[in-house]
Amino acid sequence: MAQVVLKEIVKQYGSLYAVNNVSLTVEDGEFVALVGPSGCGKTTTLNLVAGLLPMTGGDVLIGDRNVTDLDPKDRDIAMVFQNYALYPNKTVYKNLAFPLQMRKLSKAEIDTKVMDAAKVLDIVHLLQRKPRELSGGQQQRVALGRALVRDPQVFLMDEPLSNLDAKLRVQMRTELKRFHQDLKATVIYVTHDQLEAVTMADKMAVMSGGFLQQYDSPKNVFEHPVNMFVASFVGSPAMSLIPLEAINTGGKIALSSSEGWQLPLSEANSKKAQTASTSKIVLGARHSTLQLHKSKESNSVPGRVYTVEPTGDVTFVQVFLGGATVIVSLDPSVDVKSDQEVWIEFDQERLHLFDGETEMALTDP
Amino acid sequence: MSIATEREIAARAKRPIRFGVLRQMVDRRSDYLYVLPALIVMMIVIAYPIYYTIELSFFNTPSNLQMKDKVFIGLDNYARILTSRSFREVTMNTFIWTVASTFFAFLLGLGAALSLHREFLGRGVLRAVLLIPYVVSAVAASYVWKWLYHSDFGVIGALAVQFGFTDRPINFIDNIHTVLPSLIVVNIWKEFSFAMIMLMAGLQTVPDQLLRAAQVDGANAWQRFWHVTFPHLKGVSMVTVLLLMVANFNAFIIPWIMTSGGPAGASDIWITQIYTIAFGRQRYGLASAYSVILFIVMMTLGYFYVRALTRGDDTRVK
């Protein structure tokens, strides 16, 4: 296994930048998730690492080698694809053997390696079957086996779980995580599902519009999103963002809404708010940090319930507040109804402030 | 839907079973009415000619007699054809013509489809140009090729002389040894675009991810074609070859216009031979017997081919 370094990689299609100056280092044995919405450049980035697309600029290093100008087969990588990309006319055994055959290994060597991989993935009983005779989960495992059999420096995975049904996806997620832990493999994993990234990855690279927005551990990305995009993308349900106006009330800053209410900020938050480029500030809060009151309390602001979504363990309540929708999680025993007047209390320690112009997170000066 | 009264139900139950089919036809008369026009046309233009051809094949129809004076001769027509040397020669010609045309048209079509599948400058124009043979009228093309091949004025012969391949123009279609290959070349030129279109459509179905997977697995361009692309083209290839074979067995326009089966029957194939017997020598009975033989051969081939095709499907389902 090896370290992977992306140095200022760029992929341009005409005037469009699919990947714009992305640099990141994947340490040896690390599981890194490239995550972002459709069209953010995450799959393109993965294909650039694989060498399946020519790069416009930048370098890719795998181990100590600069592989920028090498063919995919010479990069010592293995790839797992979204729809598994198993060869439909070959049996599972031949699917696993194919990359080894292409490397002209002897029959005996191929057999040993295929059997080893099949044992690890528990697919020995499937070896004589054709891919179409397998379930989605089994196909996924074969695809993983075909990558494993090569003993590559890096595993590249392109949304490998998104074709599975919800239940199987959760199961395969834990299997994949285990697979990574057992093999101590370097994995670069593309997904649009931030939950997959958060649950599996050591580090996640959040991408949008071809740019790398934030590259950090899931915990840090979750707790300290660098901008509004990351804040709204990571976490389920997403962070609520309320556009407000900062006003100075004798040294302290308060956030004022178009509806007339004001939310005084704590001292620490006031300092952050003062670094904003304009008076436009976006307040961000995760559902679990908000408290809902049925009657007016100090430090709470008024809103109206839009919908109530019970999920069993928690009930999510969407509240209209300051011209935005805020999601609050409640204990299912709390009884609220649509159109009910409620008061929301923010946790000053755990709320996020963003610059309304630059959309960047406001931090301590 | 109306609800049947008890009496109606009882009446239905009492109705004898042998009237069931008829009854159904009456009940569903509007359905039959809708397919009737198509059915009538089919009876007139397909079923009746087949019946009449079979009937005619048992009669002698001398050209000096009217059709109503035809003479019943049983299986004599069949015996005459199957024992004749010309039948063996024509069958051999048909076989060479069909296999060679189909094979090379397919191969050329495959090559064209593969090269046009990739993105390059002028691809659209090239694709349009390569489609020309398919859209040009076969009759017009045959006349043009006849002149291209002409022993005195043909441009191919002239070019061959100019470039020093031969000292005098080549006699393509007036020579019993070169006529059939020359016609096959025209046929391939005319047909390969069809194979190209079919295979281009087939190529669209090859998943991109599979080719990428093969690339990562270390397969070179040829290995990717052999292990990924070609297996995906199997179905469409079978259909293309079947359609080309049927078209070539039944080919008429190109050989008839260019040589009419000559010289000395060297380019005679089944259909041109039947046409000559029927409308040249006015031997309708003999021509009908010939047609029936061809019909049986075609149906047998078709049966085996379709079975081979569908057997593949069955294993795929299992």
Side-chain angles (χ1 to χ4, degrees):
Chain A
M1 291 296 151
Q3 184 194 49
V4 180
V5 180
L6 312 189
K7 270 191 194 163
E8 292 165 6
I9 62 169
V10 177
K11 176 66 189 176
Q12 211 177 339
Y13 292 105
S15 62
L16 179 93
Y17 284 88
V19 176
N20 204 338
N21 214 2
V22 169
S23 298
L24 58 86
T25 302
V26 180
E27 297 298 343
D28 186 358
E30 215 168 34
F31 192 122
V32 167
L34 293 180
V35 60
S38 311
C40 73
K42 55 189 190 300
T43 299
T44 311
T45 305
L46 195 76
N47 284 335
L48 292 176
V49 176
L52 289 167
L53 290 173
M55 261 195 285
T56 312
D59 287 301
V60 175
L61 280 73
I62 296 177
D64 303 327
R65 289 190 308 159
N66 187 335
V67 298
T68 311
D69 298 319
L70 295 182
D71 276 343
K73 66 180 165 69
D74 300 323
R75 294 192 177 198
D76 205 3
I77 49 157
M79 207 158 168
V80 180
F81 293 86
Q82 179 174 358
N83 54 15
Y84 324 127
L86 300 177
Y87 307 116
N89 51 316
K90 296 182 191 294
T91 60
V92 169
Y93 182 93
K94 284 188 176 158
N95 262 284
L96 295 184
F98 187 71
L100 303 175
Q101 269 174 344
M102 293 299 114
R103 279 173 175 67
K104 304 209 161 47
L105 265 64
S106 74
K107 270 223 165 94
E109 261 179 300
I110 291 176
D111 198 57
T112 326
K113 288 189 180 225
V114 168
M115 291 314 286
D116 284 350
K119 271 177 209 151
V120 169
L121 292 161
D122 193 23
I123 50 172
V124 177
H125 60 293
L126 304 175
L127 285 175
Q128 293 317 315
R129 297 217 203 145
K130 291 272 179 79
R132 63 172 172 273
E133 297 161 341
L134 305 178
S135 69
Q138 289 169 333
Q139 289 189 32
Q140 182 58 67
R141 230 170 272 162
V142 175
L144 215 53
R146 192 176 59 187
L148 182 64
V149 84
R150 295 252 312 275
D151 192 18
Q153 300 269 7
V154 190
F155 286 94
L156 304 178
M157 305 193 183
D158 186 5
E159 310 223 9
L161 303 184
S162 53
N163 273 21
L164 302 174
D165 60 59
K167 200 178 161 193
L168 198 57
R169 196 175 327 167
V170 176
Q171 188 195 330
M172 284 304 288
R173 206 161 70 194
T174 53
E175 281 190 31
L176 259 181
K177 193 163 183 172
R178 189 74 220 181
F179 170 85
H180 167 246
Q181 283 168 0
D182 292 348
L183 286 164
K184 312 219 167 8
T186 309
V187 178
I188 303 180
Y189 184 103
V190 164
T191 177
H192 65 266
D193 182 354
Q194 53 87 26
L195 190 64
E196 269 179 25
V198 170
T199 51
M200 291 198 284
D202 298 320
K203 273 192 196 158
M204 58 196 282
V206 185
M207 291 186 72
S208 170
F211 288 98
L212 178 62
Q213 305 284 338
Q214 189 166 6
Y215 180 49
D216 211 331
S217 68
K219 187 171 185 290
N220 281 343
V221 172
F222 189 81
E223 287 175 359
H224 306 290
V226 295
N227 58 29
M228 278 166 62
F229 171 78
V230 177
S232 61
F233 188 78
V234 179
S236 173
M239 182 187 283
S240 306
L241 297 168
I242 314 154
L244 298 167
E245 197 80 25
I247 50 169
N248 204 323
T249 55
K252 271 195 175 179
I253 301 284
L255 297 177
S256 147
S257 85
S258 54
E259 288 171 346
W261 51 260
Q262 287 186 5
L263 178 71
L265 291 178
S266 68
E267 209 159 310
N269 282 331
S270 289
K271 276 184 191 160
K272 286 186 193 170
Q274 273 160 347
T275 64
S277 55
T278 64
S279 67
K280 281 189 200 159
I281 285 186
V282 176
L283 173 66
R286 299 219 180 264
H287 61 89
S288 55
T289 67
L290 295 171
Q291 278 198 353
L292 182 141
H293 301 294
K294 288 188 186 176
S295 56
K296 187 168 166 49
E297 306 243 340
S298 61
N299 284 336
S300 65
V301 296
R304 185 142 39 91
V305 173
Y306 181 55
T307 55
V308 181
E309 294 175 338
T311 64
D313 285 343
V314 281
T315 298
F316 292 110
V317 180
Q318 290 195 35
V319 180
F320 271 142
L321 185 131
T325 317
V326 173
I327 298 173
V328 187
S329 55
L330 290 183
D331 191 90
S333 63
V334 181
D335 181 41
V336 281
K337 288 192 174 59
S338 294
D339 295 326
Q340 188 177 340
E341 292 270 351
V342 291
W343 282 263
I344 302 294
E345 187 182 335
F346 292 89
D347 181 346
Q348 293 279 346
E349 299 284 308
R350 289 154 78 194
L351 59 74
H352 301 261
L353 297 173
F354 300 96
D355 188 317
E357 282 298 318
T358 63
E359 303 199 343
M360 297 304 285
L362 296 173
T363 50
D364 292 322
Chain B
M1 209 158 90
S2 63
I3 296 164
T5 64
E6 269 176 46
R7 196 184 300 165
E8 271 174 353
I9 292 167
R12 245 179 246 171
K14 256 187 249 165
R15 207 171 286 141
I17 293 162
R18 64 196 154 98
F19 290 126
V21 177
L22 205 66
R23 185 75 228 168
Q24 228 178 27
M25 284 179 79
V26 175
D27 282 350
R28 298 181 171 274
R29 58 189 176 280
S30 57
D31 297 5
Y32 285 94
L33 208 63
Y34 291 133
V35 296
L36 195 64
L39 210 62
I40 289 173
V41 171
M42 297 249 300
M43 293 298 279
I44 293 171
V45 303
I46 297 176
Y48 178 70
I50 289 176
Y51 158 75
Y52 191 64
T53 303
I54 294 171
E55 188 199 338
L56 214 54
S57 70
F58 299 117
F59 287 87
N60 188 10
T61 57
S63 47
N64 56 345
L65 291 179
Q66 288 188 355
M67 279 303 263
K68 65 178 164 60
D69 299 323
K70 59 187 186 285
V71 187
F72 183 79
I73 51 166
L75 291 170
D76 276 10
N77 283 333
Y78 290 94
R80 259 187 76 184
I81 292 163
L82 293 174
T83 53
S84 72
R85 217 188 73 188
S86 79
F87 175 72
R88 285 198 298 278
E89 282 169 5
V90 169
T91 302
M92 199 59 199
N93 282 348
T94 311
F95 187 73
I96 294 169
W97 158 269
T98 302
V99 171
S101 299
T102 305
F103 180 75
F104 288 108
F106 180 79
L107 213 62
L108 217 61
L110 180 63
L114 284 172
S115 19
L116 283 178
H117 191 57
R118 292 188 310 187
E119 203 80 52
F120 60 86
L121 192 72
R123 180 170 78 148
V125 177
L126 197 61
R127 185 163 50 195
V129 169
L130 288 179
L131 274 176
I132 290 176
Y134 186 59
V135 293
V136 161
S137 139
V139 176
S142 302
Y143 277 109
V144 170
W145 274 96
K146 205 170 160 178
W147 279 102
L148 292 176
Y149 276 147
H150 197 280
S151 54
D152 297 327
F153 315 114
V155 72
I156 297 174
L159 283 174
V161 172
Q162 199 143 41
F163 286 113
F165 294 126
T166 58
D167 347 330
R168 55 203 173 88
I170 309 156
N171 207 348
F172 285 106
I173 50 178
D174 294 327
N175 176 326
I176 57 166
H177 299 296
T178 56
V179 63
L180 196 59
S182 302
L183 292 193
I184 289 172
V185 166
V186 178
N187 198 33
I188 293 167
W189 171 84
K190 185 86 186 75
E191 273 179 344
F192 89 95
S193 326
F194 171 72
M196 182 183 85
I197 299 168
M198 296 288 282
L199 292 166
M200 267 164 64
L203 280 174
Q204 310 267 323
T205 68
V206 180
D208 225 22
Q209 278 202 348
L210 221 49
L211 290 166
R212 288 185 176 186
Q215 208 181 339
V216 172
D217 282 344
N220 59 31
W222 164 250
Q223 287 164 328
R224 285 201 294 278
F225 172 75
W226 185 245
H227 289 282
V228 179
T229 308
F230 193 66
H232 260 92
L233 291 181
K234 223 182 229 168
V236 70
S237 298
M238 292 268 264
V239 172
T240 307
V241 168
L242 171 69
L243 293 175
L244 284 178
M245 294 252 294
V246 170
N248 287 329
F249 267 124
N250 289 318
F252 177 70
I253 298 175
I254 291 171
W256 184 256
I257 289 180
M258 289 187 68
T259 63
S260 307
S267 64
D268 229 357
I269 59 175
W270 280 341
I271 303 289
T272 54
Q273 173 82 341
I274 291 169
Y275 187 87
T276 313
I277 296 170
F279 304 108
R281 285 154 48 192
Q282 314 268 300
R283 307 288 292 274
Y284 297 113
L286 197 63
S288 296
Y290 219 124
S291 300
V292 171
I293 293 171
L294 198 137
F295 181 70
I296 292 168
V297 171
M298 293 289 287
M299 291 306 262
T300 315
L301 272 179
Y303 171 74
F304 281 115
Y305 203 90
V306 168
R307 211 174 68 160
L309 268 179
T310 49
R311 192 166 46 201
D313 282 346
D314 288 347
T315 51
R316 224 169 292 153
V317 169
K318 276 172 204 161

